[in-house]
C-alpha cells in the first residue's frame, strides 16, 4: 500500500503520469461522448446545423451527412478516449471537430466564454494525442501483447 502511495506522490514517476493521462482521457472522453450522444440523438436538424459549420472551408454540400459524421466522431472518439483505444487516432479527429467549433465561435464574434470551451477541448485533445493513452489503456495492452 505504501508503495502505491509513494508512486502516486512521486513527481515525475511513470505511474503518476499515466494516472494523470487516465484522468484526462476519462474527463474529456466523457464530455465528448456526452456531446456526441446529444448531437446524434437530436436528429437531422442538428446534423444540418453542425454540417453547415464547415462552409468556411468551401464545403457546402451534404450538411446533414457532415453533421452526422461530426456527431458520430464526438461519440465514438469520446468512447475511444475513455477506454484508451486508438487514442491518437481518435484525438486527431476530435481535434479537427474542436478546431472547426473554435473557428465557428470566432467567426460569429462570440464572447471569450463561448470561445473557451472548444479551445480548452482542443488544447486537451492535442495534449492527449501527443502524450498517447498511457499505461492504463487498451492501446498499452495491445502494444504489450504484440511487441
Amino acid at each position: 500500500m505504501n508503495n502505491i502511495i509513494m508512486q502516486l506522490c512521486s513527481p515525475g514517476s511513470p505511474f503518476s503520469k499515466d494516472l494523470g493521462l487516465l484522468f484526462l482521457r476519462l474527463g474529456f472522453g466523457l464530455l465528448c461522448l456526452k456531446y456526441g450522444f446529444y448531437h446524434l440523438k437530436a436528429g437531422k436538424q442538428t446534423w444540418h446545423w453542425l454540417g453547415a459549420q464547415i462552409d468556411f472551408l468551401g464545403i457546402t454540400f451534404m450538411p446533414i451527412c457532415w453533421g452526422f459524421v461530426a456527431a458520430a466522431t464526438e461519440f465514438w472518439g469520446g468512447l475511444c478516449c475513455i477506454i484508451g483505444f486508438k487514442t491518437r487516432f481518435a484525438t486527431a479527429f476530435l481535434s479537427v471537430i474542436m478546431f472547426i467549433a473554435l473557428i465557428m465561435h470566432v467567426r460569429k464574434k462570440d464572447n471569450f466564454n463561448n470561445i473557451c470551451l472548444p479551445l480548452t477541448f482542443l488544447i486537451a485533445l492535442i495534449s492527449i494525442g501527443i502524450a498517447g493513452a498511457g499505461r492504463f489503456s487498451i492501446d498499452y495492452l495491445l502494444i504489450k501483447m504484440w511487441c
Side-chain angles (χ1 to χ4, degrees):
M1 182 70 164
N2 283 343
N3 189 27
I4 292 173
I5 293 171
M6 289 301 291
Q7 285 182 345
L8 279 173
C9 296
S10 298
S13 76
F15 186 78
S16 64
K17 289 178 183 176
D18 290 325
L19 193 60
L21 283 170
L22 174 65
F23 280 107
L24 272 173
R25 280 192 1 253
L26 289 176
F28 283 95
L30 283 168
L31 289 169
C32 288
L33 185 76
K34 175 203 164 273
Y35 281 112
F37 180 75
Y38 166 75
H39 288 143
L40 283 172
K41 192 176 115 181
K44 288 183 180 180
Q45 188 174 2
T46 298
W47 301 344
H48 187 278
W49 177 83
L50 280 172
Q53 302 311 311
I54 58 173
D55 65 345
F56 72 94
L57 295 172
I59 302 172
T60 57
F61 59 94
M62 298 181 358
I64 292 174
C65 178
W66 289 112
F68 176 80
V69 167
T73 299
E74 287 176 331
F75 182 82
W76 292 109
L79 183 62
C80 285
C81 271
I82 292 167
I83 64 175
F85 179 68
K86 298 291 184 186
T87 306
R88 287 189 165 123
F89 187 71
T91 56
F93 280 97
L94 287 168
S95 294
V96 170
I97 301 293
M98 290 305 119
F99 179 73
I100 290 170
L102 178 63
I103 296 298
M104 178 203 69
H105 286 290
V106 169
R107 288 178 69 221
K108 284 176 44 180
K109 296 181 181 16
D110 280 344
N111 64 28
F112 185 70
N113 290 336
N114 289 340
I115 293 171
C116 275
L117 184 64
L119 180 61
T120 303
F121 270 79
L122 181 62
I123 291 167
L125 290 166
I126 290 172
S127 299
I128 294 167
I130 291 169
R135 191 183 327 183
F136 306 115
S137 66
I138 292 176
D139 287 346
Y140 182 81
L141 294 175
L142 291 174
I143 289 169
K144 292 287 270 185
M145 193 168 66
W146 294 105
C147 295

